[in-house]
Amino acid sequence: MKHSKLYLKIKNWLLELEYNIQFENEQHQTLIIEKESEGIKNMMIVIAPQILILEQFLFRCKNNQNEVYKQLLIKNRDIVHGAFVIDETGEKVIFRDTLQTENLDQNELIATLNSLSLLISEYSSEMIAFSK
């Protein structure tokens, strides 16, 4: 599937699902979306060759990092789609998922978005504690 065709398909799926598109750049194949009722804010979606990358910054971890990382890795085991990751600074905790684009359908995208929404609703008090 051509890149811009896929971009438009994903953008239309997001609009159907009532996500707000905060920023878009078709040339760079990038969207930033939000749906605050689902806890999703400034989620970056990038269409790269053969994969769709979804990332949502969650919190900054400054103290007791080793214990926080341990708890996040344990929680990763429960997450159905996506996972906790950290950036190169070791402070930013991000939810990330990658999906194959070759046969991508709307249900796969929905599954990732729902996984993040569920994670935020179930695990928010822990994430707030981790960020202090």
Side-chain angles (χ1 to χ4, degrees):
M1 188 179 304
K2 283 205 171 195
H3 239 32
S4 59
K5 207 172 183 183
L6 180 61
Y7 176 89
L8 293 174
K9 181 184 265 191
I10 291 167
K11 179 181 172 182
N12 287 332
W13 287 343
L14 292 166
L15 292 171
E16 281 176 35
L17 297 167
E18 300 179 351
Y19 281 84
N20 296 318
I21 297 174
Q22 301 301 107
F23 173 83
E24 62 178 294
N25 186 324
E26 188 170 351
Q27 182 181 350
H28 291 112
Q29 301 289 289
T30 304
L31 295 156
I32 296 178
I33 64 166
E34 78 171 26
K35 191 173 190 180
E36 290 206 40
S37 63
E38 302 292 323
I40 294 174
K41 187 163 177 58
N42 295 322
M43 173 182 260
M44 184 162 44
I45 299 176
V46 178
I47 303 164
Q50 301 172 1
I51 59 169
L52 180 69
I53 303 164
L54 299 100
E55 286 192 348
Q56 164 81 55
F57 169 75
L58 296 172
F59 63 92
R60 190 174 293 276
C61 176
K62 294 180 181 172
N63 299 315
N64 201 9
Q65 288 178 325
N66 289 338
E67 184 56 32
V68 170
Y69 297 158
K70 178 182 174 184
Q71 293 306 312
L72 294 175
L73 285 170
I74 290 168
K75 186 64 179 171
N76 267 348
R77 192 169 183 211
D78 296 334
I79 302 172
V80 179
H81 298 281
F84 287 116
V85 299
I86 55 172
D87 74 346
E88 57 281 343
T89 69
E91 285 187 6
K92 283 186 176 178
V93 177
I94 300 163
F95 171 87
R96 180 184 169 104
D97 199 9
T98 55
L99 302 171
Q100 296 265 330
T101 57
E102 187 175 346
N103 297 308
L104 183 67
D105 64 28
Q106 190 177 21
N107 289 336
E108 291 174 278
L109 181 59
I110 291 170
T112 291
L113 296 169
N114 287 346
S115 180
L116 173 58
S117 185
L118 181 63
L119 175 66
I120 289 170
S121 68
E122 284 184 346
Y123 207 60
S124 61
S125 59
E126 290 89 339
M127 289 190 290
I128 290 167
F130 292 157
S131 68
K132 292 184 175 177

